[in-house]
Amino acid sequence: MINPRSDDGSAYLAIALAIVPRDLIASIVAVHGIYENGHETWTEDILWLRDLFPYQRYNVRVLVYQYDAEAFSSPGDGSADRILPFANSLVAELYADRHFADALKRPIIFICHGFGGLLVKRALALSSTKRAQAVVHLRSVFISTYAIVFLGTPHNGVRKESLLLRHQHSRVDRPGPSQFVLNLLRGSEMLQEITDQFAPLMKRFAIYNIWEQKKTQVGEVSTYIVEKDSAAPPWDEVEGCGIYATHDDLIKFSDVHDHGYRVVLEALARYIATAPALIAIRWSKDMEALEHERQLEAEDLMRPPLRYLTSEGESKPNRNEWFIIPRCSSSYFTGRRLHAEIIREKLGLISQLNEANQHRICVILGMGGAGKTQFCLRYAEDNKSRYWGVFWIDASSEENAENDFASLGQQMGKGATFTGGLHWLSQCAKPWLLVIDNADDIEMDVAKYFPVGGSGHILITTRNPGAEIYATVGNIRFRGMDPEDAVSLLLKTAFSEDESPSPLSDTRQTAQKIASELGYLALALAHAGTTIRRNIYTLEMYLRHYLGHRKEMITSRSISTADEANIITTWEIPFQRIASRKTLEYRDAVELFHICAFMHFDSIPEAVFQRPWHSIETRRRPQDSSGLVQLEPEWDEGSKFRLRTALSILYNYSIIDHDSKKGTVSMHQVVQRWAKDRLSEADQKRWLSATVAVLAKCISPLLEASGQRFRRLLLPHIEACLRELKALYGQTGPTSMERAVEIERFAWVFAENGLWMRARTYQLDVLNFRTKKLGRFHPHTIQAKRSLAQSNSSLFDMKPCLLAQRHILYTHWWVRSSFADYMTWPPWKPNHVPYCITLSDLTFSLWIAGEFDWSKRAGESAVKGLMKRLGPDDPLTLTAMFNLARTYRHLCDQRASRALLVEVLRKRKRLFGSDHIDTLWTRSELAMSLCVAKERLPVAERLLLNVVAAKKKLLGEEHAYTLWSMNHLAKVLTTRWRPHEAIAILEKIIPIVSRTLGDTHPGMSMTKANLTQAYVRAKRWGEAETLLNEVLEAIPEDHPDSIVAMFGRVYVQTAMGRINEAEAAADYLKILDVIAERNFFSADNPRTLAVAEQLSLIYMKQERWNELEAVKAKYPGLNPSGEQQFNIWLV
């Protein structure tokens, strides 16, 4: 007979037995699932726990636990946290029953169906924590539990289809499943929390997982409610078996021969037989451990209290000098005060920094929309005065993280490179706070974004639980807000201060139900509040309409968790209202939003929309569109008003964040992802094409210096579009002529910012596409090849660069734009502009490659042709003159070089200004011309000091071009016999070159060669020899610079006494043979003469007059007096 103790839904149903309770050897506790009750769950024709199971033979007591499942399935009554009080009730009621039966140490065997298994896992985890003296009695449930039989328990959650089918099968009259039921979806935080708490306890229990093998059918739909991989995860040392039954019938048996019944009976019988002995031992060991803890607690109470000293640093006034965050926190931000206190305590006092040379890192975990980013924004604002600097890195992708560090490096004058920004922060000894936001990618190595040293506090926000490994002071998990804070946030966003309801009103109770259904998620609450404020729905109507929308949203393939469903539903409601309105301003808002959806979600510059709206091709929009994309070219007051109105609509509906002071637009990641996913594939491609076109139109083909900073802001948005192109089309390469133009412009921005490898990848795609579609000789194909050659040149990959430029030259020789271009005389020496521009490019590339004679020939032809066609003042002519001047310098024609440089400098200063990068290059080369000629060296030094200072300001201290000019400055100092100053500069920049360019980059060889010269002047022979050996290994044998290194090694080894004069003479002869064999230099070239001069000096000293006369005859440019005339280091 079944004797229910109460009818309120929270009671035991104890099966009455004829056996005296104290003689029983075990208790079996059955716990039902959701949408069920204690009696019907285990009953088909009979209640098998009473009428079928032989409890008398096994001498056990059977209890059926019943709880109010309605609380979980009713909207507004259940939330992710509601399981805890029910788990607490299970432990408390079970303890009470066992206490009055004098059976606290009797073994317990749980048998659970569906959600009941999750409830038992949470209850056992709760019971295991009860160690304090006041509650230790509740620990008895945990100690006494021997085994658990899970029947269809969704350990890993259920699929959306199963959840909706189960809701439909339950026949409840509700618009959709409750928030708590949604938390049974796969991947939910509630399930993960239960798993994390139960995992350390599993080894203590015998566990049997049983899964359904028959699908549940409702109407025409059939599915497994709980799939096998969820009902029976691959746990170690755990039993498992499938039963051919539906989820509901899995626990209903009517006959002793039922296959499922026999499986369950065998397991229970085995557990009953082995449980008593093991539980007795467990009780003994646990009591000993608790007694030991009590002794330790007593000893602690006897110790005197510690006195904590307050750090003087904490009371200092505002120390902040740098505060670089993407935007301000929301004015509606509410709550999280306790979390802020916990994190501040974890991070510790500022004065404690650097003690262990380790950063204090706290990881903030939570699902999207939990408010992690807003919390960090507010935490940074509230604690700004504690830190010398506060910095923010967007780690949503590696490219974005590196771009943010590059921007930091640029702001700090170190150069717009990832390593520059990271190194600068590593060198900061003052206390700083670094927020690494959205580090969600499980493949990302977040540690590479930690600066070296221990001067900082770091906050990492992530949805990836695996990121906990980076924490040095612990982590904190964000779930929903505190219920009261959540209600306050909802009401604050829904009502003005004058309309705010009283704490005891019905309005607040309604708000409590809404907040519960939204999972207490900050982002969802803010969206819901805005919807109510905009009168789309009243507070009273919102919940029912919301549940209906959420049921529709949950069926989307892109929504996988309850939190995502909550956020997306609260966003979808106001967006549908915007989209349903047909007025121009609302259509503008929709178009603007769709374009934002395909950019990076944060810091979208307003200027992006101010430039190209009118230029988006009409073929990509409906022909009758009158939206923003059809605006006229003039950016007039009407256009400005339309943009402001569209932004205002989206902002007022909480669709976007708009920072009018910074002129940027931002969206939440979850919302942006849904904004794309809600579109059909065709619409996604259409709007992505529009977005790509918008960005490309922002990039001028002239790449004016005035727009460089703006173009750098486009990098994360270009990266976002390229990722979407890869996702939608399977490639980032062009698929149309228009797309080729757009990708080409994106590559220009990469190249402009020193990302030449990235630029080269996309330029190669564009070149291959145009070659295939247009042919090798089409002007657009040639343009793509020229851009690719320039990137190869910047990467010092000279072979493909020269091959491409020679092909371009050959093409321009044959293909000319007009008939007049063919009429030049002689016809084999054309001078039309494209041909001469290519000659100018070749002049530079041949100079880099060390082919100085060919560089001179190309440069002279380029200058002559451009002078005739464009005139002496055209920037292209000036570039050709500059390239030729550099070649003249390396051919030691200093007079010709200086004449060109003086003219170019004068005109570039007039055209571009003194601090333009082209002007700075000219000043730097002019200084080197003076240095090589050993003329006006103080002037050369002043020129280079000014150039270095200007490049540091313009490009950053660690930019490759700045490092180049610092090499030039060191060379001048060495020439002025101040080698120690030169050594200080070069030794400082060598690690920078290594970090930014790499040890194998030609810039490293140049820097080491210059440092070698300074070491020689300082007579630090050993260091000079070591560097020369490294330089010789790095420089290709077919490059003229190898001659300088070979000469230097002989010179140094002679000075060190490593070789005698005879051996040195032999080595110098070998070098002269190499020069002649490879035709590096002519016999009158100063480099050749410098080697011959050293050889003649040795012959003279050894009185080898015949050999001396032979050398002088072969190299007539030698000084007849025998004095040293040439310095190979300078030329």
Side-chain angles (χ1 to χ4, degrees):
M1 152 175 201
I2 299 176
N3 297 318
R5 291 211 301 255
S6 71
D7 296 323
D8 63 359
S10 180
Y12 281 120
L13 298 183
I15 299 179
L17 306 176
I19 301 173
V20 180
R22 62 175 175 271
D23 296 331
L24 303 177
I25 63 173
S27 294
I28 296 176
V29 180
V31 184
H32 64 86
I34 209 165
Y35 299 123
E36 300 172 346
N37 64 54
H39 183 275
E40 295 178 357
T41 298
W42 314 96
T43 303
E44 188 170 17
D45 298 325
I46 58 172
L47 176 57
W48 69 270
L49 287 169
R50 177 192 64 191
D51 302 329
L52 207 58
F53 178 67
Y55 54 85
Q56 293 179 325
R57 185 176 77 193
Y58 290 114
N59 201 18
V60 296
R61 185 184 187 206
V62 180
L63 299 170
V64 177
Y65 182 73
Q66 178 166 312
Y67 57 90
D68 183 14
E70 181 74 11
F72 295 115
S73 58
S74 297
D77 291 334
S79 72
D81 296 327
R82 286 288 290 164
I83 192 171
L84 180 59
F86 281 83
N88 191 73
S89 296
L90 172 56
V91 172
E93 293 194 40
L94 188 53
Y95 168 78
D97 185 272
R98 290 160 61 82
H99 171 75
F100 288 116
D102 193 21
L104 291 179
K105 296 184 179 181
R106 181 188 297 162
I108 300 172
I109 300 169
F110 283 102
I111 180 168
C112 324
H113 182 234
F115 167 75
L118 301 179
L119 178 58
V120 168
K121 287 164 69 175
R122 187 66 183 89
L124 290 173
L126 178 67
S127 175
S128 70
T129 64
K130 305 298 184 181
R131 307 184 73 91
Q133 196 160 2
V135 292
V136 70
H137 59 281
L138 298 176
R139 184 176 170 81
S140 65
V141 174
F142 166 69
I143 300 172
S144 298
T145 298
Y146 174 76
I148 313 171
V149 179
F150 293 111
L151 295 119
T153 294
H155 299 288
N156 294 332
V158 298
R159 293 185 299 110
K160 291 181 293 185
E161 295 80 4
S162 302
L163 185 144
L164 293 174
L165 188 69
R166 185 72 172 157
H167 176 78
Q168 183 180 353
H169 185 55
S170 66
R171 298 184 180 87
V172 292
D173 182 25
R174 299 187 187 100
S178 69
Q179 168 65 17
F180 183 86
V181 173
L182 288 179
N183 273 285
L184 297 179
L185 287 172
R186 288 176 178 267
S188 80
E189 285 201 47
M190 182 188 79
L191 293 175
Q192 187 61 52
E193 179 185 2
I194 293 172
T195 298
D196 292 345
Q197 293 170 343
F198 185 70
L201 314 177
M202 283 179 54
K203 297 294 184 183
R204 295 176 63 98
F205 312 126
I207 295 176
Y208 205 130
N209 285 321
I210 297 176
W211 62 90
E212 63 208 68
Q213 292 183 321
K214 185 177 180 182
K215 293 182 178 181
T216 298
Q217 184 161 352
V218 177
E220 297 180 356
V221 180
S222 63
T223 186
Y224 295 113
I225 300 299
V226 181
E227 294 177 310
K228 178 185 174 182
D229 67 327
S230 181
W235 295 337
D236 294 334
E237 301 177 12
V238 170
E239 296 180 275
C241 179
I243 295 179
Y244 186 71
T246 64
H247 183 75
D248 287 345
D249 294 338
L250 199 62
I251 50 170
K252 300 180 189 298
F253 310 125
S254 58
D255 188 274
V256 294
H257 301 294
D258 191 309
H259 171 70
Y261 172 74
R262 293 173 65 83
V263 169
V264 175
L265 177 63
E266 183 280 328
L268 293 177
R270 182 157 34 87
Y271 296 154
I272 292 167
T274 55
L278 183 62
I279 294 301
I281 295 172
R282 191 179 292 172
W283 267 99
S284 176
K285 290 182 177 180
D286 206 76
M287 289 300 100
E288 290 178 7
L290 286 172
E291 182 62 28
H292 181 64
E293 288 182 17
R294 296 292 177 266
Q295 291 176 1
L296 294 177
E297 290 173 2
E299 292 173 6
D300 287 340
L301 290 173
M302 298 298 293
R303 293 186 184 133
L306 295 174
R307 294 185 178 183
Y308 293 93
L309 298 176
T310 303
S311 168
E312 294 181 3
E314 294 298 299
S315 60
K316 288 183 179 180
N318 188 347
R319 69 177 82 193
N320 185 263
E321 295 182 22
W322 293 99
F323 190 67
I324 303 175
I325 63 174
R327 58 186 181 278
C328 299
S329 64
S330 170
S331 59
Y332 293 124
F333 183 87
T334 303
R336 301 290 189 193
R337 291 179 294 275
L338 179 59
H339 288 112
E341 292 173 8
I342 292 172
I343 288 178
R344 182 164 172 157
E345 182 179 344
K346 285 179 179 290
L347 294 177
L349 304 178
I350 300 299
S351 59
Q352 294 174 346
L353 293 172
N354 266 328
E355 291 180 357
N357 198 35
Q358 183 184 43
H359 299 306
R360 302 178 71 81
I361 305 172
C362 182
V363 175
I364 302 175
L365 296 159
M367 292 295 290
K372 304 183 296 296
T373 298
Q374 281 294 328
F375 170 83
C376 287
L377 288 169
R378 179 58 62 89
Y379 184 88
E381 292 167 352
D382 291 345
N383 293 274
K384 172 182 175 181
S385 61
R386 301 177 67 214
Y387 298 99
W388 169 79
V390 177
F391 310 104
W392 194 282
I393 299 298
D394 168 29
S396 58
S397 70
E398 291 191 2
E399 294 86 358
N400 292 333
E402 292 180 5
N403 284 337
D404 278 358
F405 270 113
S407 296
L408 180 61
Q410 186 177 45
Q411 289 187 66
M412 302 308 165
K414 293 294 181 181
T417 63
F418 163 58
T419 53
L422 185 63
H423 181 71
W424 175 83
L425 196 53
S426 299
Q427 300 303 306
C428 293
K430 297 180 180 179
W432 45 259
L433 171 68
L434 176 66
V435 179
I436 301 178
D437 192 29
N438 292 315
D440 303 327
D441 187 351
I442 61 175
E443 301 295 331
M444 178 183 287
D445 177 17
V446 183
K448 72 180 181 182
Y449 304 122
F450 300 162
V452 177
S455 299
H457 289 170
I458 300 177
L459 294 178
I460 302 173
T461 72
T462 179
R463 292 185 290 172
N464 172 26
E468 292 178 352
I469 62 173
Y470 300 113
T472 61
V473 297
N475 62 79
I476 189 167
R477 189 180 290 270
F478 275 21
R479 296 178 179 85
M481 298 177 66
D482 175 81
E484 286 303 313
D485 288 339
V487 172
S488 298
L489 173 60
L490 176 62
L491 294 176
K492 184 188 293 186
T493 54
F495 301 101
S496 64
E497 292 186 10
D498 297 338
E499 299 172 334
S500 183
S502 64
L504 299 178
S505 66
D506 292 340
T507 299
R508 193 169 185 87
Q509 293 179 8
T510 303
Q512 168 60 46
K513 291 185 177 183
I514 295 173
S516 173
E517 276 307 302
L518 295 179
Y520 303 119
L521 288 171
L523 183 61
L525 291 162
H527 282 164
T530 303
T531 299
I532 295 166
R533 181 187 284 262
R534 300 292 299 177
N535 294 319
I536 297 175
Y537 294 120
T538 64
L539 185 73
E540 292 72 23
M541 293 174 59
Y542 185 85
L543 184 58
R544 186 164 189 87
H545 284 281
Y546 165 80
L547 291 173
H549 278 285
R550 186 171 67 180
K551 184 178 179 181
E552 295 177 10
M553 294 295 103
I554 201 67
T555 60
S556 170
R557 290 182 301 172
S558 60
I559 295 180
S560 57
T561 68
D563 291 339
E564 288 182 351
N566 289 332
I567 294 168
I568 295 308
T569 305
T570 57
W571 173 83
E572 181 71 15
I573 292 172
F575 184 76
Q576 286 185 3
R577 177 61 62 91
I578 295 173
S580 66
R581 299 191 176 183
K582 303 304 180 183
T583 57
L584 179 62
E585 58 267 26
Y586 280 88
R587 294 204 308 271
D588 285 348
V590 171
E591 290 189 357
L592 186 64
F593 179 76
H594 282 141
I595 291 176
C596 289
F598 290 92
M599 294 187 185
H600 181 53
F601 61 87
D602 202 12
S603 300
I604 304 171
E606 270 186 49
V608 167
F609 307 110
Q610 295 173 3
R611 302 181 181 216
W613 276 354
H614 62 277
S615 301
I616 300 176
E617 291 80 358
T618 56
R619 63 174 181 79
R620 296 181 183 176
R621 300 286 299 119
Q623 292 301 312
D624 59 349
S625 171
S626 59
L628 294 176
V629 295
Q630 300 297 324
L631 285 176
E632 294 301 317
E634 294 78 12
W635 182 246
D636 54 18
E637 285 301 318
S639 302
K640 294 178 184 179
F641 176 77
R642 287 182 63 177
L643 173 61
R644 288 195 297 265
T645 303
L647 289 172
S648 176
I649 290 171
L650 294 175
Y651 176 73
N652 289 335
Y653 279 90
S654 288
I655 304 296
I656 63 169
D657 287 327
H658 179 215
D659 190 330
S660 57
K661 292 182 179 179
K662 293 184 177 180
T664 59
V665 175
S666 301
M667 300 170 61
H668 194 279
Q669 267 185 297
V670 176
V671 172
Q672 190 194 49
R673 186 168 64 250
W674 173 247
K676 290 179 286 192
D677 291 344
R678 70 190 300 276
L679 299 172
S680 66
E681 182 176 341
D683 281 340
Q684 286 185 17
K685 290 181 177 180
R686 183 164 64 92
W687 284 111
L688 173 60
S689 295
T691 307
V692 169
V694 165
L695 288 173
K697 289 293 182 180
C698 291
I699 304 166
S700 167
L702 300 178
L703 295 179
E704 297 89 343
S706 59
Q708 184 174 3
R709 185 176 296 275
F710 169 72
R711 288 191 294 274
R712 173 160 191 83
L713 297 176
L714 299 182
L715 275 174
H717 309 293
I718 291 173
E719 296 277 12
C721 283
L722 290 172
R723 284 195 297 272
E724 291 299 326
L725 286 172
K726 179 72 173 177
L728 283 174
Y729 293 92
Q731 63 178 34
T732 54
T735 54
S736 64
M737 294 303 171
E738 293 84 356
R739 182 61 46 77
V741 172
E742 294 156 358
I743 299 299
E744 181 178 52
R745 293 190 179 189
F746 290 171
W748 292 345
V749 177
F750 285 124
E752 182 182 41
N753 286 280
L755 301 171
W756 294 302
M757 291 290 288
R758 299 291 308 282
R760 182 165 66 176
T761 299
Y762 300 117
Q763 287 165 346
L764 188 59
D765 288 340
V766 172
L767 176 60
N768 290 336
F769 177 81
R770 286 179 175 169
T771 301
K772 181 178 179 181
K773 297 292 185 180
L774 303 175
R776 297 169 56 199
F777 304 110
H778 193 279
H780 291 167
T781 306
I782 296 302
Q783 176 182 306
K785 184 169 289 189
R786 180 174 184 245
S787 297
L788 177 60
Q790 289 172 338
S791 292
N792 279 323
S793 175
S794 298
L795 291 166
F796 286 84
D797 193 357
M798 301 314 299
K799 287 184 178 179
C801 170
L802 289 169
L803 184 65
Q805 289 176 342
R806 283 168 176 151
H807 176 264
I808 295 171
L809 190 69
Y810 176 79
T811 302
H812 286 316
W813 195 92
W814 282 104
V815 181
R816 308 180 191 184
S817 58
S818 68
F819 180 76
D821 291 337
Y822 287 97
M823 294 295 101
T824 56
W825 187 262
W828 56 85
K829 289 186 177 181
N831 60 10
H832 54 292
V833 173
Y835 184 84
C836 293
I837 290 174
T838 308
L839 284 173
S840 179
D841 290 343
L842 267 169
T843 305
F844 174 77
S845 301
L846 290 166
W847 169 72
I848 289 287
E851 299 182 29
F852 301 127
D853 289 330
W854 283 106
S855 177
K856 175 185 174 183
R857 293 175 61 180
E860 288 174 343
S861 297
V863 171
K864 182 179 178 181
L866 291 172
M867 281 275 196
K868 181 177 179 180
R869 291 300 187 110
L870 301 178
D873 295 338
D874 189 272
L876 293 173
T877 305
L878 297 179
T879 298
M881 293 168 65
F882 175 77
N883 290 337
L884 179 59
R886 274 205 286 210
T887 300
Y888 280 153
R889 177 167 72 82
H890 279 74
L891 288 171
C892 302
D893 189 350
Q894 303 305 328
R895 180 176 299 177
S897 174
R898 200 177 309 165
L900 284 174
L901 288 171
V902 169
E903 184 179 357
V904 171
L905 178 60
R906 177 173 56 82
K907 292 179 178 179
R908 280 183 167 175
K909 286 175 67 176
R910 176 170 54 84
L911 291 172
F912 306 136
S914 297
D915 291 334
H916 190 277
I917 187 62
D918 290 345
T919 309
L920 295 176
W921 271 123
T922 313
R923 292 162 67 189
S924 182
E925 284 300 317
L926 180 59
M928 288 309 299
S929 178
L930 294 172
C931 177
V932 171
K934 294 185 180 179
E935 299 175 1
R936 303 175 66 187
L937 291 178
V939 174
E941 182 180 346
R942 284 198 302 273
L943 275 172
L944 284 168
L945 284 170
N946 291 335
V947 167
V948 169
K951 283 189 175 181
K952 284 183 177 180
K953 182 178 180 181
L954 181 65
L955 303 174
E957 185 177 326
E958 299 190 1
H959 193 280
Y961 296 163
T962 306
L963 299 176
W964 195 318
S965 292
M966 292 176 76
N967 266 277
H968 284 174
L969 176 60
K971 205 163 188 174
V972 171
L973 293 172
T974 302
T975 306
R976 298 195 69 190
W977 289 96
R978 289 154 59 188
H980 298 293
E981 295 178 44
I983 289 170
I985 291 174
L986 294 169
E987 287 184 339
K988 178 182 178 182
I989 69 173
I990 273 187
I992 300 175
V993 175
S994 176
R995 189 174 64 250
T996 57
L997 301 178
D999 292 331
T1000 60
H1001 192 276
M1004 178 62 82
S1005 299
M1006 176 180 70
T1007 306
K1008 288 182 176 179
N1010 290 331
L1011 183 55
T1012 299
Q1013 180 189 357
Y1015 281 152
V1016 169
R1017 282 285 170 95
K1019 297 186 177 181
R1020 293 167 61 172
W1021 306 111
E1023 293 158 294
E1025 183 185 31
T1026 301
L1027 278 183
L1028 276 168
N1029 289 330
E1030 294 177 3
V1031 171
L1032 271 169
E1033 290 181 6
I1035 297 178
E1037 292 182 357
D1038 59 351
H1039 196 285
D1041 285 351
S1042 63
I1043 297 299
V1044 181
M1046 292 165 64
F1047 171 88
R1049 182 165 63 178
V1050 178
Y1051 184 90
V1052 170
Q1053 288 178 342
T1054 304
M1056 296 176 69
R1058 293 280 183 87
I1059 58 176
N1060 57 36
E1061 290 180 340
E1063 293 171 318
D1067 287 338
Y1068 285 136
L1069 276 172
K1070 289 180 182 178
I1071 295 173
L1072 289 171
D1073 289 341
V1074 171
I1075 292 175
E1077 178 185 341
R1078 297 179 180 171
N1079 197 25
F1080 279 149
F1081 313 115
S1082 62
D1084 60 349
N1085 185 284
R1087 284 188 175 89
T1088 309
L1089 294 176
V1091 180
E1093 185 178 67
Q1094 289 297 317
L1095 179 62
S1096 65
L1097 291 173
I1098 293 175
Y1099 285 162
M1100 189 180 298
K1101 187 175 182 181
Q1102 294 181 340
E1103 298 182 356
R1104 297 163 62 177
W1105 307 115
N1106 292 333
E1107 287 99 327
L1108 177 61
E1109 290 304 319
V1111 170
K1112 288 183 176 180
K1114 189 173 182 178
Y1115 304 102
L1118 290 175
N1119 189 348
S1121 66
E1123 296 179 0
Q1124 186 170 351
Q1125 180 182 5
F1126 299 101
N1127 184 346
I1128 195 169
W1129 305 99
L1130 290 180
V1131 298

